[in-house]
Amino acid sequence: MKKTFWWVTSILLIFSVIAVSFKSAVADKHAEGAANGVTNPKVLTTEMRFGAMVSDIYQAAGLQASGLDMGVFQKALTGFYNLKSAHKLPQNSNILTVVDFSKPSREKRLWIVDLFSKSLLLNTWVAHGQGSGDDMASHFSNNDESHQSSLGFYVTDDIYMGKHGRSLRLDGMDQGFNDHARNRAIVLHAADYVCQNTINQLGRLGRSFGCPAVSPEVVDQVIGTLKGKTAIFVNGPDSRYSSKYLDMTMAANYALPTVTDTSAHPITLRAAL
């Protein structure tokens, strides 16, 4: 009996040592790869790999230096891939626009990023609605006549000539937060009050009736780049905001397909490298 007990104890001890050694070896390999800028996809979760991809684009495009918060960019990129997964964007879409209304209007708080080339195409001023606040936007609404900006994900549509000149129609994707954008005539347009002179005079930009208004100097570039089904994410300080497009696991599973599936998502695979 004692002999049997000794054998069982010895076998369990041997297996414990092997397990600890294996775990330590995997951890060492992972640490070694991370130190060399290489991650092991078999060790990292899909969400961790997605985070690494976000960080790669963020750094390559110089977004930190331009003032874009990485957390806001990760939300925007998460929604971008989920919009693709939901067939709201073309599969070859590679333009992502971020607006961060948690920053004052006197700062350049609109970014247009080319995810394919991992480059920042434009960082410029953008106005918020007069009902949302003065220099800082703090109130947001989906209601007509509120003159407030609406948070959430948008998909751009067609160009038309309106009272503000050449303008770009927007469709809100988040129910209850911006899905009334069409009925409210929330569009991207130019406004003379979006400029340094207005900031010098008022200490802030002028304000719209809820539209994301940009400077006349850049409006043609902005509209020309964003037209025809590209994604815009409008961030702001509102704890009530939520979106089904912020599911990071779903976005990660779409953005990081198997390596053999190179034809399905060429943009996402290029962005992930």
Side-chain angles (χ1 to χ4, degrees):
M1 184 69 178
K2 289 182 179 180
K3 188 175 181 179
T4 302
F5 176 79
W6 183 87
W7 274 106
V8 171
T9 302
S10 298
I11 291 171
L12 290 175
L13 181 60
I14 290 171
F15 274 111
S16 296
V17 171
I18 292 173
V20 170
S21 298
F22 178 76
K23 184 176 181 181
S24 178
V26 169
D28 289 343
K29 279 290 186 182
H30 185 195
E32 179 184 351
N36 295 323
V38 178
T39 54
N40 185 345
K42 293 183 179 179
V43 175
L44 296 179
T45 65
T46 302
E47 290 79 4
M48 291 170 68
R49 290 171 60 213
F50 184 77
M53 184 187 73
V54 173
S55 179
D56 176 52
I57 300 172
Y58 183 78
Q59 293 178 25
L63 298 180
Q64 182 176 16
S66 68
L68 177 56
D69 179 79
M70 185 171 177
V72 174
F73 179 64
Q74 178 161 310
K75 287 181 181 179
L77 196 58
T78 298
F80 172 83
Y81 286 118
N82 282 327
L83 286 168
K84 274 196 170 186
S85 178
H87 306 292
K88 302 295 184 180
L89 294 172
Q91 293 305 303
N92 64 349
S93 177
N94 63 301
I95 299 298
L96 173 61
T97 303
V98 184
V99 173
D100 190 1
F101 282 149
S102 67
K103 293 181 176 291
S105 68
R106 61 184 182 275
E107 294 186 13
K108 293 183 177 181
R109 53 186 181 170
L110 182 150
W111 297 261
I112 301 176
V113 182
D114 185 328
L115 300 175
F116 188 84
S117 63
K118 302 179 188 177
S119 60
L120 176 61
L121 302 181
L122 183 67
N123 176 210
T124 190
W125 292 296
V126 60
H128 57 253
Q130 62 182 221
S132 288
D134 294 330
D135 186 30
M136 296 294 298
S138 56
H139 304 286
F140 305 94
S141 175
N142 195 32
N143 297 329
D144 196 15
E145 303 300 329
S146 68
H147 293 179
Q148 294 182 18
S149 297
S150 301
L151 301 181
F153 291 97
Y154 294 82
V155 172
T156 65
D157 198 8
D158 61 306
I159 301 170
Y160 73 101
M161 292 299 295
K163 63 181 180 180
H164 298 289
R166 196 162 177 252
S167 304
L168 182 65
R169 289 191 175 94
L170 309 175
D171 288 312
M173 298 289 107
D174 286 317
Q175 186 173 1
F177 292 97
N178 66 5
D179 58 326
H180 292 169
R182 277 276 185 165
N183 293 336
R184 294 180 62 199
I186 300 299
V187 300
L188 191 150
H189 64 77
D192 291 335
Y193 51 73
V194 182
C195 63
Q196 186 64 55
N197 286 339
T198 304
I199 295 173
N200 293 342
Q201 293 173 16
L202 303 178
R204 60 168 173 80
L205 291 181
R207 298 162 300 166
S208 68
F209 278 7
C211 297
V214 298
S215 168
E217 294 182 358
V218 301
V219 68
D220 286 338
Q221 179 186 356
V222 172
I223 290 178
T225 304
L226 304 191
K227 66 181 180 180
K229 306 299 181 183
T230 69
I232 299 177
F233 175 59
V234 179
N235 181 67
D238 189 341
S239 59
R240 298 172 302 168
Y241 173 70
S242 63
S243 173
K244 64 182 181 181
Y245 297 109
L246 289 175
D247 186 327
M248 192 172 72
T249 300
M250 186 182 299
N253 288 333
Y254 177 85
L256 299 168
T258 59
V259 176
T260 56
D261 190 16
T262 56
S263 63
H265 312 292
I267 298 296
T268 59
L269 285 178
R270 172 69 178 273
L273 293 176

